[in-house]
Amino acid sequence: MTSSPPDPHQTPEPHGHSHSHGPAAPVSRHLRKVIAAVLIPFAAAVVVGLLVLWPGGTPGHERTGVGFDRQTESGKVVSVEKVDCKDVNAGQVPPTADPTTPEGREAANSQQGDCGKATVEVTSGKNKGRTFVEIVQPDAPRQLKKGQGVVVAYAPDAPRDLQYSVTDVDRGFPMAVLAGIFALVVVLVGRMRGVMALLALVVSFAVLTVFILPAILQGSNPLIVAVVGASAIMLIALYMCHGLTARTSVAVLGTLISLLLIGLLGSLFIGWASLSGNTDDNTGLIHGLFPNIDMSGLLLAGVIIGSLGVLDDVTVTQTSAVWELHQADPDMGAKGLYRAGIRIGRDHIASVVNTLVLAYAGAALPLLLLFSIAQSSVGTVANSELVAEEIVRTLIGSIGLVASVPVTTILAALVVSADRPGLLAGASDTPARTAAPGRGRGGKGRRRKK
């Protein structure tokens, strides 16, 4: 006898289709084969890329003692006392007597007021227990307090009295508390989905720190490494958070197509705009330590990885919207589903693009403030490489995000409208909407007799 799909208004029987992930999820064998034919080779290529490019660890180098490339230890402020700045800065000769210059004002201020004389104890490393003195100027942005944890830099080749210096404060505890609050909120609101999202976040950081960064430092092409690493993060995060379903697979395909578009646009415009990727002290230090790294490729890799997180959100949301529309009206065809889904997507586009632009602007706010102080014109600011990088990064990412909405929507509409669940049992080609009423009436009649 020919079996029919279950009526969505009936309570599922114990022997029902347990593999289904919701009434709107496509379950036909044909669609599963089509999606698998696309995703399995892609996933296999990602695995091969990981194996071929696997770095085996971060390459070692001799520390320069510059910037972040310094040996650091933990420390603790034992005591702080106020002393006359003239006494502790007596050896400093003002470079200029002109108070109108920044150097002159800084030199004059260093000889005035009360300075902080902090005694700091080293709490880690081979010289644990050793103390040194740190002088803090009265106008310094970071003041030290007794009992405060600090990060100290260690220069073994310097004279003994100058080997240690305070470079930063220890923010480990407040950041750990904040991370704990974040995890708690995610789990309380998201429940099991929240737990899986946190696990996916851990895996994403693991791929970034264990594969992407060391592979780039080993000399691999940053663009290829970013594509392979971002694809691995995408597959792991989406399937962990949303399940191994056709709905998630459509979101993966939409994200993949959008990432390819971002990569192509990035390659074109980063080269066309002559963006070197070497714009500040940190990138200069990286280039000095590892001159074989393609800095413009590193910039493009950053664009791809930075766009991935927002792309996941857009593609999953659009796919879910189309599935819900199909569930609400199973008779709606692919054209109607696309039109309804794209109307939802337009609202999403407006909010996401604005979010992305403001996020980049917020990150570059000190730089924009500096240009404002200099009273530079908008054209001059936009043409500088520092700002041009952020503009190109924002526009390329935004184009990819905007394109992901129609791409994902049309993929989801085609998949969900073409689904024929009856084929799963291999017994009937009859669509669910024509077969379901008969079963529904039969089922109700049998329950009444009971």
Side-chain angles (χ1 to χ4, degrees), residues 285-331:
L285 179 60
I286 292 171
H287 185 64
L289 294 173
F290 299 93
N292 294 329
I293 293 179
D294 179 7
M295 299 304 293
S296 60
L298 186 62
L299 173 61
L300 179 55
V303 173
I304 292 174
I305 296 172
S307 302
L308 178 61
V310 189
L311 271 177
D312 288 351
D313 173 56
V314 173
T315 55
V316 169
T317 300
Q318 282 304 113
T319 306
S320 298
V322 173
W323 248 258
E324 294 301 324
L325 288 168
H326 178 69
Q327 182 181 13
D329 185 2
D331 293 322

mmCIF file of all heavy atoms in Angstrom, residues 285-331:
data_model
loop_
_atom_site.group_PDB
_atom_site.id
_atom_site.type_symbol
_atom_site.label_atom_id
_atom_site.label_comp_id
_atom_site.label_asym_id
_atom_site.label_seq_id
_atom_site.Cartn_x
_atom_site.Cartn_y
_atom_site.Cartn_z
ATOM 1 N N LEU A 285 56.094 45.849 12.020
ATOM 2 C CA LEU A 285 56.874 44.883 12.789
ATOM 3 C C LEU A 285 56.721 43.480 12.213
ATOM 4 O O LEU A 285 57.701 42.728 12.107
ATOM 5 C CB LEU A 285 56.418 44.910 14.258
ATOM 6 C CG LEU A 285 57.117 43.942 15.209
ATOM 7 C CD1 LEU A 285 58.614 44.219 15.257
ATOM 8 C CD2 LEU A 285 56.507 44.044 16.607
ATOM 9 N N ILE A 286 55.479 43.124 11.826
ATOM 10 C CA ILE A 286 55.248 41.807 11.220
ATOM 11 C C ILE A 286 56.065 41.664 9.934
ATOM 12 O O ILE A 286 56.712 40.639 9.699
ATOM 13 C CB ILE A 286 53.747 41.620 10.924
ATOM 14 C CG1 ILE A 286 52.949 41.528 12.226
ATOM 15 C CG2 ILE A 286 53.514 40.353 10.091
ATOM 16 C CD1 ILE A 286 51.455 41.561 12.025
ATOM 17 N N HIS A 287 56.034 42.705 9.109
ATOM 18 C CA HIS A 287 56.769 42.656 7.844
ATOM 19 C C HIS A 287 58.284 42.595 8.085
ATOM 20 O O HIS A 287 59.012 41.934 7.327
ATOM 21 C CB HIS A 287 56.422 43.884 6.996
ATOM 22 C CG HIS A 287 57.027 43.858 5.628
ATOM 23 N ND1 HIS A 287 56.704 42.901 4.686
ATOM 24 C CD2 HIS A 287 57.950 44.664 5.039
ATOM 25 C CE1 HIS A 287 57.390 43.121 3.582
ATOM 26 N NE2 HIS A 287 58.162 44.185 3.761
ATOM 27 N N GLY A 288 58.753 43.267 9.138
ATOM 28 C CA GLY A 288 60.162 43.218 9.453
ATOM 29 C C GLY A 288 60.600 41.851 9.948
ATOM 30 O O GLY A 288 61.691 41.370 9.609
ATOM 31 N N LEU A 289 59.762 41.189 10.747
ATOM 32 C CA LEU A 289 60.104 39.874 11.279
ATOM 33 C C LEU A 289 59.937 38.777 10.239
ATOM 34 O O LEU A 289 60.724 37.826 10.190
ATOM 35 C CB LEU A 289 59.233 39.570 12.502
ATOM 36 C CG LEU A 289 59.455 40.444 13.744
ATOM 37 C CD1 LEU A 289 58.411 40.133 14.806
ATOM 38 C CD2 LEU A 289 60.853 40.230 14.306
ATOM 39 N N PHE A 290 58.889 38.891 9.423
ATOM 40 C CA PHE A 290 58.598 37.870 8.411
ATOM 41 C C PHE A 290 58.394 38.558 7.064
ATOM 42 O O PHE A 290 57.270 38.760 6.610
ATOM 43 C CB PHE A 290 57.350 37.068 8.797
ATOM 44 C CG PHE A 290 57.489 36.323 10.092
ATOM 45 C CD1 PHE A 290 57.069 36.900 11.287
ATOM 46 C CD2 PHE A 290 58.036 35.054 10.136
ATOM 47 C CE1 PHE A 290 57.192 36.224 12.491
ATOM 48 C CE2 PHE A 290 58.169 34.367 11.323
ATOM 49 C CZ PHE A 290 57.753 34.954 12.509
ATOM 50 N N PRO A 291 59.481 38.955 6.400
ATOM 51 C CA PRO A 291 59.375 39.719 5.148
ATOM 52 C C PRO A 291 58.727 38.957 4.008
ATOM 53 O O PRO A 291 58.318 39.561 3.012
ATOM 54 C CB PRO A 291 60.835 40.064 4.821
ATOM 55 C CG PRO A 291 61.651 39.073 5.573
ATOM 56 C CD PRO A 291 60.877 38.747 6.803
ATOM 57 N N ASN A 292 58.607 37.629 4.125
ATOM 58 C CA ASN A 292 58.006 36.841 3.046
ATOM 59 C C ASN A 292 56.480 36.890 3.063
ATOM 60 O O ASN A 292 55.840 36.410 2.116
ATOM 61 C CB ASN A 292 58.460 35.375 3.136
ATOM 62 C CG ASN A 292 59.945 35.223 2.867
ATOM 63 O OD1 ASN A 292 60.523 35.990 2.096
ATOM 64 N ND2 ASN A 292 60.564 34.252 3.513
ATOM 65 N N ILE A 293 55.887 37.441 4.125
ATOM 66 C CA ILE A 293 54.427 37.505 4.201
ATOM 67 C C ILE A 293 53.914 38.562 3.223
ATOM 68 O O ILE A 293 54.407 39.687 3.185
ATOM 69 C CB ILE A 293 53.960 37.839 5.636
ATOM 70 C CG1 ILE A 293 54.296 36.682 6.581
ATOM 71 C CG2 ILE A 293 52.461 38.112 5.670
ATOM 72 C CD1 ILE A 293 53.892 36.942 8.011
ATOM 73 N N ASP A 294 52.922 38.183 2.429
ATOM 74 C CA ASP A 294 52.271 39.117 1.509
ATOM 75 C C ASP A 294 51.290 39.963 2.317
ATOM 76 O O ASP A 294 50.201 39.496 2.678
ATOM 77 C CB ASP A 294 51.547 38.333 0.410
ATOM 78 C CG ASP A 294 50.835 39.240 -0.579
ATOM 79 O OD1 ASP A 294 51.006 40.469 -0.491
ATOM 80 O OD2 ASP A 294 50.081 38.716 -1.427
ATOM 81 N N MET A 295 51.646 41.215 2.602
ATOM 82 C CA MET A 295 50.826 42.050 3.478
ATOM 83 C C MET A 295 49.488 42.425 2.837
ATOM 84 O O MET A 295 48.476 42.525 3.523
ATOM 85 C CB MET A 295 51.599 43.314 3.864
ATOM 86 C CG MET A 295 52.886 43.042 4.628
ATOM 87 S SD MET A 295 52.651 42.052 6.124
ATOM 88 C CE MET A 295 51.705 43.203 7.129
ATOM 89 N N SER A 296 49.466 42.637 1.525
ATOM 90 C CA SER A 296 48.190 42.923 0.868
ATOM 91 C C SER A 296 47.299 41.683 0.887
ATOM 92 O O SER A 296 46.068 41.778 1.036
ATOM 93 C CB SER A 296 48.418 43.392 -0.572
ATOM 94 O OG SER A 296 49.085 42.394 -1.332
ATOM 95 N N GLY A 297 47.909 40.501 0.755
ATOM 96 C CA GLY A 297 47.142 39.264 0.893
ATOM 97 C C GLY A 297 46.617 39.089 2.304
ATOM 98 O O GLY A 297 45.514 38.572 2.521
ATOM 99 N N LEU A 298 47.403 39.522 3.281
ATOM 100 C CA LEU A 298 46.959 39.469 4.675
ATOM 101 C C LEU A 298 45.754 40.383 4.894
ATOM 102 O O LEU A 298 44.822 40.039 5.621
ATOM 103 C CB LEU A 298 48.107 39.882 5.592
ATOM 104 C CG LEU A 298 47.886 39.750 7.095
ATOM 105 C CD1 LEU A 298 47.649 38.295 7.476
ATOM 106 C CD2 LEU A 298 49.074 40.309 7.864
ATOM 107 N N LEU A 299 45.767 41.547 4.237
ATOM 108 C CA LEU A 299 44.625 42.453 4.312
ATOM 109 C C LEU A 299 43.376 41.806 3.736
ATOM 110 O O LEU A 299 42.288 41.875 4.328
ATOM 111 C CB LEU A 299 44.951 43.743 3.559
ATOM 112 C CG LEU A 299 43.815 44.755 3.385
ATOM 113 C CD1 LEU A 299 43.310 45.246 4.728
ATOM 114 C CD2 LEU A 299 44.280 45.921 2.520
ATOM 115 N N LEU A 300 43.506 41.149 2.589
ATOM 116 C CA LEU A 300 42.368 40.474 1.971
ATOM 117 C C LEU A 300 41.877 39.322 2.847
ATOM 118 O O LEU A 300 40.668 39.100 2.975
ATOM 119 C CB LEU A 300 42.772 39.956 0.592
ATOM 120 C CG LEU A 300 41.709 39.188 -0.196
ATOM 121 C CD1 LEU A 300 40.448 40.019 -0.347
ATOM 122 C CD2 LEU A 300 42.264 38.776 -1.555
ATOM 123 N N ALA A 301 42.799 38.595 3.460
ATOM 124 C CA ALA A 301 42.409 37.512 4.361
ATOM 125 C C ALA A 301 41.582 38.055 5.523
ATOM 126 O O ALA A 301 40.588 37.446 5.945
ATOM 127 C CB ALA A 301 43.655 36.792 4.884
ATOM 128 N N GLY A 302 41.972 39.225 6.033
ATOM 129 C CA GLY A 302 41.213 39.845 7.103
ATOM 130 C C GLY A 302 39.812 40.242 6.672
ATOM 131 O O GLY A 302 38.847 40.130 7.451
ATOM 132 N N VAL A 303 39.670 40.700 5.424
ATOM 133 C CA VAL A 303 38.346 41.056 4.903
ATOM 134 C C VAL A 303 37.449 39.828 4.857
ATOM 135 O O VAL A 303 36.274 39.869 5.260
ATOM 136 C CB VAL A 303 38.476 41.679 3.495
ATOM 137 C CG1 VAL A 303 37.102 41.896 2.869
ATOM 138 C CG2 VAL A 303 39.217 43.002 3.563
ATOM 139 N N ILE A 304 37.981 38.709 4.381
ATOM 140 C CA ILE A 304 37.186 37.481 4.256
ATOM 141 C C ILE A 304 36.769 36.961 5.626
ATOM 142 O O ILE A 304 35.594 36.653 5.862
ATOM 143 C CB ILE A 304 37.991 36.415 3.490
ATOM 144 C CG1 ILE A 304 38.180 36.847 2.033
ATOM 145 C CG2 ILE A 304 37.309 35.054 3.562
ATOM 146 C CD1 ILE A 304 39.086 35.941 1.238
ATOM 147 N N ILE A 305 37.711 36.873 6.549
ATOM 148 C CA ILE A 305 37.395 36.349 7.879
ATOM 149 C C ILE A 305 36.450 37.290 8.623
ATOM 150 O O ILE A 305 35.523 36.858 9.310
ATOM 151 C CB ILE A 305 38.696 36.125 8.679
ATOM 152 C CG1 ILE A 305 39.542 35.044 8.003
ATOM 153 C CG2 ILE A 305 38.393 35.737 10.123
ATOM 154 C CD1 ILE A 305 40.921 34.883 8.597
ATOM 155 N N GLY A 306 36.673 38.605 8.478
ATOM 156 C CA GLY A 306 35.813 39.562 9.154
ATOM 157 C C GLY A 306 34.388 39.549 8.648
ATOM 158 O O GLY A 306 33.445 39.843 9.408
ATOM 159 N N SER A 307 34.192 39.212 7.370
ATOM 160 C CA SER A 307 32.843 39.197 6.796
ATOM 161 C C SER A 307 32.091 37.912 7.129
ATOM 162 O O SER A 307 30.857 37.876 7.047
ATOM 163 C CB SER A 307 32.924 39.353 5.276
ATOM 164 O OG SER A 307 33.581 40.539 4.911
ATOM 165 N N LEU A 308 32.818 36.854 7.494
ATOM 166 C CA LEU A 308 32.202 35.544 7.663
ATOM 167 C C LEU A 308 31.132 35.533 8.746
ATOM 168 O O LEU A 308 30.047 34.980 8.551
ATOM 169 C CB LEU A 308 33.278 34.503 7.974
ATOM 170 C CG LEU A 308 32.789 33.075 8.228
ATOM 171 C CD1 LEU A 308 32.069 32.531 6.994
ATOM 172 C CD2 LEU A 308 33.961 32.171 8.600
ATOM 173 N N GLY A 309 31.427 36.168 9.899
ATOM 174 C CA GLY A 309 30.483 36.116 11.008
ATOM 175 C C GLY A 309 29.148 36.740 10.679
ATOM 176 O O GLY A 309 28.085 36.179 10.991
ATOM 177 N N VAL A 310 29.161 37.896 10.000
ATOM 178 C CA VAL A 310 27.909 38.552 9.646
ATOM 179 C C VAL A 310 27.210 37.792 8.529
ATOM 180 O O VAL A 310 25.987 37.716 8.491
ATOM 181 C CB VAL A 310 28.169 40.012 9.229
ATOM 182 C CG1 VAL A 310 26.874 40.768 9.072
ATOM 183 C CG2 VAL A 310 29.055 40.708 10.246
ATOM 184 N N LEU A 311 27.976 37.211 7.615
ATOM 185 C CA LEU A 311 27.384 36.428 6.530
ATOM 186 C C LEU A 311 26.588 35.246 7.079
ATOM 187 O O LEU A 311 25.500 34.948 6.593
ATOM 188 C CB LEU A 311 28.482 35.918 5.596
ATOM 189 C CG LEU A 311 28.890 36.808 4.430
ATOM 190 C CD1 LEU A 311 30.030 36.176 3.667
ATOM 191 C CD2 LEU A 311 27.724 37.089 3.511
ATOM 192 N N ASP A 312 27.152 34.556 8.062
ATOM 193 C CA ASP A 312 26.441 33.432 8.676
ATOM 194 C C ASP A 312 25.072 33.865 9.187
ATOM 195 O O ASP A 312 24.065 33.178 8.979
ATOM 196 C CB ASP A 312 27.265 32.848 9.834
ATOM 197 C CG ASP A 312 28.477 32.080 9.351
ATOM 198 O OD1 ASP A 312 28.578 31.871 8.133
ATOM 199 O OD2 ASP A 312 29.320 31.720 10.184
ATOM 200 N N ASP A 313 25.038 35.002 9.842
ATOM 201 C CA ASP A 313 23.781 35.507 10.401
ATOM 202 C C ASP A 313 22.766 35.774 9.296
ATOM 203 O O ASP A 313 21.595 35.399 9.398
ATOM 204 C CB ASP A 313 24.055 36.783 11.200
ATOM 205 C CG ASP A 313 22.783 37.462 11.660
ATOM 206 O OD1 ASP A 313 21.976 36.810 12.343
ATOM 207 O OD2 ASP A 313 22.574 38.639 11.321
ATOM 208 N N VAL A 314 23.199 36.426 8.220
ATOM 209 C CA VAL A 314 22.293 36.788 7.136
ATOM 210 C C VAL A 314 21.762 35.548 6.430
ATOM 211 O O VAL A 314 20.546 35.414 6.196
ATOM 212 C CB VAL A 314 23.004 37.719 6.129
ATOM 213 C CG1 VAL A 314 22.126 37.962 4.907
ATOM 214 C CG2 VAL A 314 23.350 39.040 6.788
ATOM 215 N N THR A 315 22.637 34.627 6.077
ATOM 216 C CA THR A 315 22.202 33.455 5.313
ATOM 217 C C THR A 315 21.289 32.541 6.127
ATOM 218 O O THR A 315 20.293 32.036 5.602
ATOM 219 C CB THR A 315 23.417 32.667 4.809
ATOM 220 O OG1 THR A 315 24.271 32.329 5.916
ATOM 221 C CG2 THR A 315 24.212 33.491 3.809
ATOM 222 N N VAL A 316 21.608 32.341 7.396
ATOM 223 C CA VAL A 316 20.751 31.499 8.242
ATOM 224 C C VAL A 316 19.385 32.153 8.419
ATOM 225 O O VAL A 316 18.344 31.480 8.347
ATOM 226 C CB VAL A 316 21.425 31.252 9.608
ATOM 227 C CG1 VAL A 316 20.436 30.620 10.587
ATOM 228 C CG2 VAL A 316 22.635 30.348 9.454
ATOM 229 N N THR A 317 19.364 33.454 8.640
ATOM 230 C CA THR A 317 18.094 34.153 8.821
ATOM 231 C C THR A 317 17.225 34.067 7.572
ATOM 232 O O THR A 317 16.023 33.800 7.648
ATOM 233 C CB THR A 317 18.347 35.633 9.175
ATOM 234 O OG1 THR A 317 19.107 35.701 10.384
ATOM 235 C CG2 THR A 317 17.039 36.374 9.363
ATOM 236 N N GLN A 318 17.829 34.296 6.399
ATOM 237 C CA GLN A 318 17.057 34.247 5.156
ATOM 238 C C GLN A 318 16.545 32.839 4.881
ATOM 239 O O GLN A 318 15.396 32.660 4.454
ATOM 240 C CB GLN A 318 17.919 34.727 3.988
ATOM 241 C CG GLN A 318 18.069 36.225 3.919
ATOM 242 C CD GLN A 318 16.743 36.947 3.866
ATOM 243 O OE1 GLN A 318 16.381 37.658 4.797
ATOM 244 N NE2 GLN A 318 15.996 36.763 2.794
ATOM 245 N N THR A 319 17.372 31.843 5.121
ATOM 246 C CA THR A 319 16.930 30.468 4.901
ATOM 247 C C THR A 319 15.777 30.103 5.828
ATOM 248 O O THR A 319 14.777 29.511 5.391
ATOM 249 C CB THR A 319 18.109 29.498 5.121
ATOM 250 O OG1 THR A 319 19.209 29.890 4.307
ATOM 251 C CG2 THR A 319 17.713 28.084 4.768
ATOM 252 N N SER A 320 15.889 30.472 7.079
ATOM 253 C CA SER A 320 14.816 30.187 8.035
ATOM 254 C C SER A 320 13.527 30.910 7.656
ATOM 255 O O SER A 320 12.430 30.367 7.799
ATOM 256 C CB SER A 320 15.253 30.599 9.447
ATOM 257 O OG SER A 320 16.374 29.853 9.869
ATOM 258 N N ALA A 321 13.649 32.144 7.158
ATOM 259 C CA ALA A 321 12.470 32.906 6.754
ATOM 260 C C ALA A 321 11.735 32.205 5.618
ATOM 261 O O ALA A 321 10.500 32.086 5.641
ATOM 262 C CB ALA A 321 12.885 34.312 6.333
ATOM 263 N N VAL A 322 12.477 31.717 4.620
ATOM 264 C CA VAL A 322 11.838 31.022 3.500
ATOM 265 C C VAL A 322 11.179 29.727 3.970
ATOM 266 O O VAL A 322 10.069 29.391 3.552
ATOM 267 C CB VAL A 322 12.874 30.743 2.400
ATOM 268 C CG1 VAL A 322 12.278 29.867 1.301
ATOM 269 C CG2 VAL A 322 13.372 32.052 1.803
ATOM 270 N N TRP A 323 11.836 29.000 4.856
ATOM 271 C CA TRP A 323 11.244 27.763 5.376
ATOM 272 C C TRP A 323 9.944 28.052 6.133
ATOM 273 O O TRP A 323 8.959 27.327 5.990
ATOM 274 C CB TRP A 323 12.247 27.068 6.296
ATOM 275 C CG TRP A 323 12.780 25.770 5.732
ATOM 276 C CD1 TRP A 323 12.402 24.507 6.068
ATOM 277 C CD2 TRP A 323 13.793 25.634 4.732
ATOM 278 N NE1 TRP A 323 13.124 23.593 5.343
ATOM 279 C CE2 TRP A 323 13.995 24.250 4.514
ATOM 280 C CE3 TRP A 323 14.560 26.538 4.001
ATOM 281 C CZ2 TRP A 323 14.906 23.748 3.600
ATOM 282 C CZ3 TRP A 323 15.479 26.041 3.096
ATOM 283 C CH2 TRP A 323 15.637 24.676 2.899
ATOM 284 N N GLU A 324 9.942 29.086 6.941
ATOM 285 C CA GLU A 324 8.730 29.433 7.689
ATOM 286 C C GLU A 324 7.606 29.886 6.756
ATOM 287 O O GLU A 324 6.432 29.582 6.983
ATOM 288 C CB GLU A 324 9.044 30.526 8.711
ATOM 289 C CG GLU A 324 9.985 30.095 9.830
ATOM 290 C CD GLU A 324 9.432 28.928 10.630
ATOM 291 O OE1 GLU A 324 8.207 28.874 10.842
ATOM 292 O OE2 GLU A 324 10.235 28.059 11.043
ATOM 293 N N LEU A 325 7.956 30.618 5.707
ATOM 294 C CA LEU A 325 6.951 31.025 4.727
ATOM 295 C C LEU A 325 6.342 29.809 4.037
ATOM 296 O O LEU A 325 5.130 29.752 3.802
ATOM 297 C CB LEU A 325 7.584 31.958 3.688
ATOM 298 C CG LEU A 325 7.940 33.367 4.164
ATOM 299 C CD1 LEU A 325 8.826 34.067 3.135
ATOM 300 C CD2 LEU A 325 6.679 34.190 4.421
ATOM 301 N N HIS A 326 7.171 28.843 3.716
ATOM 302 C CA HIS A 326 6.671 27.619 3.086
ATOM 303 C C HIS A 326 5.772 26.839 4.037
ATOM 304 O O HIS A 326 4.766 26.250 3.615
ATOM 305 C CB HIS A 326 7.846 26.751 2.645
ATOM 306 C CG HIS A 326 7.428 25.452 2.024
ATOM 307 N ND1 HIS A 326 6.816 25.371 0.802
ATOM 308 C CD2 HIS A 326 7.540 24.174 2.475
ATOM 309 C CE1 HIS A 326 6.551 24.108 0.515
ATOM 310 N NE2 HIS A 326 6.994 23.363 1.514
ATOM 311 N N GLN A 327 6.138 26.830 5.315
ATOM 312 C CA GLN A 327 5.320 26.130 6.295
ATOM 313 C C GLN A 327 3.963 26.808 6.449
ATOM 314 O O GLN A 327 2.929 26.138 6.577
ATOM 315 C CB GLN A 327 6.030 26.090 7.650
ATOM 316 C CG GLN A 327 5.252 25.339 8.723
ATOM 317 C CD GLN A 327 5.975 25.343 10.052
ATOM 318 O OE1 GLN A 327 6.922 26.091 10.236
ATOM 319 N NE2 GLN A 327 5.519 24.517 10.977
ATOM 320 N N ALA A 328 3.957 28.149 6.414
ATOM 321 C CA ALA A 328 2.700 28.881 6.542
ATOM 322 C C ALA A 328 1.813 28.694 5.323
ATOM 323 O O ALA A 328 0.579 28.659 5.448
ATOM 324 C CB ALA A 328 2.989 30.371 6.762
ATOM 325 N N ASP A 329 2.405 28.571 4.131
ATOM 326 C CA ASP A 329 1.630 28.399 2.903
ATOM 327 C C ASP A 329 2.352 27.391 2.011
ATOM 328 O O ASP A 329 3.152 27.769 1.153
ATOM 329 C CB ASP A 329 1.475 29.741 2.179
ATOM 330 C CG ASP A 329 0.569 29.632 0.959
ATOM 331 O OD1 ASP A 329 0.035 28.527 0.706
ATOM 332 O OD2 ASP A 329 0.385 30.653 0.250
ATOM 333 N N PRO A 330 2.067 26.084 2.181
ATOM 334 C CA PRO A 330 2.758 25.064 1.390
ATOM 335 C C PRO A 330 2.491 25.169 -0.105
ATOM 336 O O PRO A 330 3.239 24.609 -0.910
ATOM 337 C CB PRO A 330 2.209 23.748 1.953
ATOM 338 C CG PRO A 330 1.677 24.092 3.308
ATOM 339 C CD PRO A 330 1.176 25.495 3.193
ATOM 340 N N ASP A 331 1.405 25.856 -0.510
ATOM 341 C CA ASP A 331 1.076 25.978 -1.929
ATOM 342 C C ASP A 331 1.872 27.077 -2.622
ATOM 343 O O ASP A 331 1.794 27.217 -3.846
ATOM 344 C CB ASP A 331 -0.427 26.271 -2.096
ATOM 345 C CG ASP A 331 -1.278 25.088 -1.649
ATOM 346 O OD1 ASP A 331 -0.863 23.938 -1.902
ATOM 347 O OD2 ASP A 331 -2.343 25.308 -1.044
#
